[in-house]
Amino acid sequence: MSALGEKPFRGPQVMQWLHQYGVDDFAAMTNLSKALRARLSEAATIIGPRVKLDQVAADGTRKWLFELADGNCIESVFIPDDGRGTLCVSSQAGCSLNCTFCATGAQGFNRDLTPEEIVGQVWQASRLLGSKGQSQRVITNVVFMGMGEPLLNYENVVQAIRVFLDDVAYGLSRRRVTVSTAGMVPLIDRLREECPVSLAVSLHAPNDSLRTELVPLNRKYPIAQLLDTCRRYVANDPHRKVTFEYVMLAGVNDSPAHAQELVTLLRDVPAKVNLIPFNPFAHTRYQRSSQATIDAFRDVLWQAGLITITRRTRGDDIDAACGQLAGQVRDRTGRRERWLARMAPGN
Ligand code: SAH
């Protein structure tokens, strides 16, 4: 606005129109003069990601396949729950980490999303969900648990988060924005200093040898380092906890002994544990742990006083559950091909 020679308060006005009222046309911004609206239309365009697919699951979970300007497709998932609505957003087209149990990892990596492509998911989803103004906000929480490793796209993710937190845009509190990471230790520290939103860490195993097998990034940042960083993350706030995600893979990481090992590991970390029943996808070698196994695992954690919840599997009839988001990215790494070859019979 300053560059256009306008008063600075016009900026927040435009932000409100865009993000709280979801308008996609400057002409609709009726508290701006006609002349200014005309100038804005010449200087800028308002475009969000194109909706390629819009699916609603039996439980109300809604998944969008969004097409970006360059043809890459990413997925976002809306999860309604009593009194809140969580949008799960993607931070990259594909993912460069190669976690063995994740569909996004298996499809390779194309590129980082720009800040506008990250915000665009929330913008487009709010519009499609019929959000109007701050009072009728449908999206109350944003989680970076879609495609990609958010901390490997640090700058753009933080820029987008600033829009989610901004009162003239989405006005979410820091607690209601969650970054989930496979464990990029130095960047967790940077996030704590620069933008301390809620932190979730994909732990998935109680010791280094098993974790390295499941989350290869563990080779670079082993568990002891990761947990040190987690302790630092919440050290200044006695009410905060780090959420540890733990995918339940039958016969791999789900025994009572693993649960006991996890209890010991997390003894002095302010932690919540989120058990995620494994969600299968094509060609995977893993199976979901049985409900009885998951309950037994949870009971060991409960008996030790660890806050533990089993994540309800949402939207699995439309492949919208954790780890099933695969979009349609143009893999530039060749990983998808190598992966399929490895999965082929005889290998
Ligand atoms: N890269 C980030 C965010 C992506 S995924 C991270 O690693 O945290 C969000 C969560 O879903 C992570 O905990 C991830 O490990 C988990 N997940 C991945 N694949 C899964 C699957 N097939 N079933 C269940 N959870 C899965």
Side-chain angles (χ1 to χ4, degrees), residues 95 101-103 144-146 148-150 180-182 202 204 245 247 276-281 311 322-324:
C95 188
F101 53 86
C102 178
F144 282 87
M145 296 184 187
E149 167 51 44
S180 177
T181 177
S202 294
H204 304 318
E245 294 156 291
V247 63
I276 315 176
F278 172 66
N279 294 305
F281 51 92
R311 194 178 285 176
C322 310
Q324 294 183 315

Side-chain angles (χ1 to χ4, degrees), residues 210 248-255 258 286-290 293:
L210 183 55
M248 297 297 288
L249 304 168
V252 176
N253 64 351
D254 64 348
S255 73
H258 288 125
Y286 297 111
Q287 286 177 332
R288 179 183 294 184
S289 309
S290 70
T293 304

Side-chain angles (χ1 to χ4, degrees), residues 20-21 130-140 167 169-170:
Q20 294 179 9
Y21 292 91
S131 234
K132 282 275 177 304
Q134 284 295 62
S135 55
Q136 288 179 46
R137 201 162 57 192
V138 182
I139 296 172
T140 61
D167 281 336
Y170 298 96

Side-chain angles (χ1 to χ4, degrees), residues 197-222:
V197 291
S198 293
L199 179 70
V201 170
S202 294
L203 190 60
H204 304 318
N207 59 64
D208 280 320
S209 63
L210 183 55
R211 186 163 194 267
T212 298
E213 193 185 309
L214 301 175
V215 182
L217 183 66
N218 191 66
R219 221 182 304 264
K220 199 158 175 197
Y221 304 113

